[in-house]
Amino acid sequence: MKKQNSMAKLVSMNGLQHAGYLAVAKTRAKVLKAFSYVIPIRRPMLFVGETSCDELCDMLINEGNTHVFIVTDAVLNKLGVPARVTNYLDKHNISYTVYDGVTPDPTFKVVEEGLRQSLEAKCDSIIAIGGGSVIDAAKMIAMAQGNDCAPQKLIGILKARKPATPLYCIPTTAGTGSEATLGAVVSDDETHQKALSIDPRMVPLAAAIDPIIMKGMPAHITADTGIDVLTHALEAWMSVNASVETDYYAASAVKSVMHYLPLVYKDGSDLKAREEMGIAAHYGGIAFNKAGLGYVHAIAHQLGAHYSIPHGRANAIVLPYILDVNRNASKKRLAALAKRTGIVKDSHTNDSNLADYLITQVRDLIQTVGINPTVKGMQVSDFDKIAKAAAKEVSDTYAVPTYMSASEIKDILMKIKQASDGLVNDEKTSDKVA
Ligand SMILES: [Fe+2]
């Protein structure tokens, strides 16, 4: 009896905690919505196609810049990717300095070294050539240089006082959409804890979507990054803070990913599909810039940090579970998306069927692009920490249609673990048979 009473107390305490969490999270969601209405977020000038890098350089030159700091990583530099820009700058007698020291999940040291080199070379503008890590590092260098401060001073919301050094971006993957967004993530050198800087001044002046640059991306990275785009768009679509504007970009991105990702996964040299995926990534970035993300990203960030899974793949693993969670609250929205994107054949059926059809299509796509939806080494002892951190990320940052308690998040983690253990066992069996 005593045990029953203490259990009842615990349940009601958890209920109270969850009610408190809900109230705080919903209030923050309203503040974020107000923030997105009051503070204008500019959109980068967008150049698309095989001459887009030249057009981006023309814009930079016409703005009167004379010495460009090119931010990239060592692999891309070795492959000669920056030559697409440096050859054009050479032709127009524009000098440049190349910094290829960006690592995945860049740390403050990476940003500080870039800032030091840019200042030493007296660069007046920056071109980022790379994936999300390179673009995030370049954003931080541009903001720190423009504000004459250490990058650490920019962590948080609206910390800048002055504009960033003019920043131009050429994404080499179709995923993060970072070239369109107002945030950048930097990791602490010792703890590897990630810190976020958010400021509309961080949005680059221009971006070039060049399918030739993206052509060499391996199929598995194309798949992972493509599902990241889909997740940005779906989370922005389901967000309570979605608007007519964000809906346009989110729906366009979903439609493109559903159609073009299987094509470009199959044939990486399909330039039309590459270009459309690049635009979809950019549109996904614009959509979540204002509408925000949700539990898929919150949980995926933790899976990535604990088990070293690439970001897009972690999203692919979590996405179907969160679509199921949101299915009832977002039924009408998902049905509307299924109709708007034209991915459903029979649009006269009811909302329940349309929502289910869309969710099935997403599951099928993840399978079609060869993503193994398993996580190796998941430990139940990690679940508490993961669930709390994910719940905090949602309550601090996002406006989701369904709020979950930490124990509901842990249920999802358990399902992922069970599915992973089952598939790992299957793999072992087939290894034995082979
Ligand atoms: Fe993402």
Side-chain angles (χ1 to χ4, degrees):
M1 188 64 183
K2 204 174 175 186
K3 199 176 174 186
Q4 269 183 349
N5 281 342
S6 58
M7 274 299 286
K9 241 185 202 172
L10 189 67
V11 169
S12 97
M13 261 185 66
N14 283 341
L16 275 175
Q17 278 172 356
H18 187 54
Y21 167 75
L22 265 181
V24 172
K26 285 184 176 175
T27 307
R28 285 209 172 116
K30 281 181 188 157
V31 171
L32 286 170
K33 188 167 192 172
F35 175 84
S36 75
Y37 277 108
V38 173
I39 303 202
I41 303 172
R42 73 157 176 263
R43 254 180 253 143
M45 172 78 80
L46 185 63
F47 302 105
V48 179
E50 294 179 33
T51 58
S52 59
C53 288
D54 298 352
E55 290 161 43
L56 178 139
C57 289
D58 282 339
M59 179 178 166
L60 177 147
I61 295 164
N62 291 336
E63 296 283 333
N65 297 297
T66 56
H67 193 138
V68 187
F69 192 59
I70 295 175
V71 180
T72 187
D73 65 39
V75 176
L76 290 169
N77 199 18
K78 208 172 166 191
L79 289 169
V81 175
R84 210 159 164 75
V85 165
T86 53
N87 289 345
Y88 195 81
L89 295 177
D90 284 336
K91 250 194 258 172
H92 291 79
N93 296 319
I94 300 291
S95 54
Y96 52 84
T97 299
V98 178
Y99 172 56
D100 71 354
V102 180
T103 51
D105 299 325
T107 62
F108 283 108
K109 262 189 195 153
V110 167
V111 174
E112 281 162 354
E113 178 56 20
L115 177 63
R116 190 191 66 73
Q117 290 191 25
S118 180
L119 290 171
E120 193 178 278
K122 296 189 168 48
C123 294
D124 54 16
S125 51
I126 298 174
I127 298 181
I129 306 173
S133 294
V134 166
I135 294 175
D136 276 12
K139 281 172 164 176
M140 291 300 292
I141 294 168
M143 287 287 279
Q145 183 170 329
N147 283 273
D148 195 17
C149 70
Q152 287 85 348
K153 297 272 180 207
L154 298 166
I155 297 306
I157 299 175
L158 298 176
K159 298 290 180 186
R161 294 282 172 268
K162 291 187 247 171
T165 295
L167 173 65
Y168 303 79
C169 292
I170 302 173
T172 54
T173 59
T176 64
S178 182
E179 77 284 357
T181 66
L182 75 175
V185 178
V186 196
S187 297
D188 184 276
D189 291 272
E190 263 83 56
T191 64
H192 296 284
Q193 202 77 22
K194 291 187 177 183
L196 183 64
S197 174
I198 296 179
D199 200 305
R201 295 176 196 267
M202 201 179 275
V203 178
L205 293 180
I209 308 294
D210 181 347
I212 303 281
I213 278 188
M214 296 179 180
K215 200 172 74 167
M217 211 192 319
H220 69 280
I221 298 178
T222 300
D224 289 347
T225 50
I227 298 297
D228 190 26
V229 176
L230 181 66
T231 311
H232 296 155
L234 284 171
E235 296 211 291
W237 179 270
M238 290 185 291
S239 166
V240 172
N241 287 351
S243 64
V244 172
E245 184 195 11
T246 61
D247 277 358
Y248 169 78
Y249 289 104
S252 301
V254 170
K255 188 174 180 178
S256 287
V257 175
M258 298 304 283
H259 182 71
Y260 289 106
L261 184 57
L263 298 180
V264 78
Y265 174 73
K266 215 171 152 190
D267 176 9
S269 63
D270 182 337
L271 293 184
K272 165 78 177 156
R274 284 278 181 216
E275 190 174 291
E276 293 293 343
M277 282 302 298
I279 296 169
H282 191 78
Y283 282 8
I286 294 174
F288 85 74
N289 228 4
K290 281 196 171 176
L293 296 166
Y295 280 101
V296 184
H297 270 78
I299 298 172
H301 287 150
Q302 293 304 316
L303 292 182
H306 280 78
Y307 309 114
S308 306
I309 309 167
H311 173 66
R313 200 175 317 154
N315 279 332
I317 293 164
V318 181
L319 180 58
Y321 295 100
I322 300 300
L323 286 175
D324 286 344
V325 167
N326 287 345
R327 188 221 172 257
N328 286 337
S330 301
K331 188 170 63 185
K332 276 192 189 316
R333 293 283 292 156
L334 291 172
L337 184 61
K339 282 195 225 170
R340 184 160 167 174
T341 52
I343 60 170
V344 61
K345 301 268 183 297
D346 178 13
S347 61
H348 299 295
T349 185
N350 62 39
D351 285 351
S352 287
N353 289 341
L354 287 168
D356 289 341
Y357 185 80
L358 180 74
I359 294 171
T360 304
Q361 291 289 303
V362 170
R363 283 180 196 275
D364 289 351
L365 176 66
I366 291 168
Q367 209 174 13
T368 302
V369 296
I371 293 179
N372 177 358
T374 64
V375 182
K376 281 189 180 157
M378 275 182 103
Q379 302 290 333
V380 177
S381 55
D382 295 335
F383 287 6
D384 214 36
K385 205 172 163 193
I386 292 175
K388 277 183 186 156
K392 186 175 182 326
E393 182 174 328
V394 169
S395 116
D396 285 355
T397 336
Y398 308 138
V400 295
T402 314
Y403 284 95
M404 287 192 282
S405 64
S407 88
E408 285 167 319
I409 297 174
K410 281 195 268 184
D411 287 345
I412 289 178
L413 294 171
M414 188 54 83
K415 283 181 191 166
I416 295 171
K417 179 173 166 47
Q418 282 165 350
S420 302
D421 290 347
L423 287 172
V424 170
N425 287 339
D426 285 350
E427 271 174 19
K428 278 182 187 160
T429 313
S430 59
D431 282 351
K432 276 181 199 161
V433 172

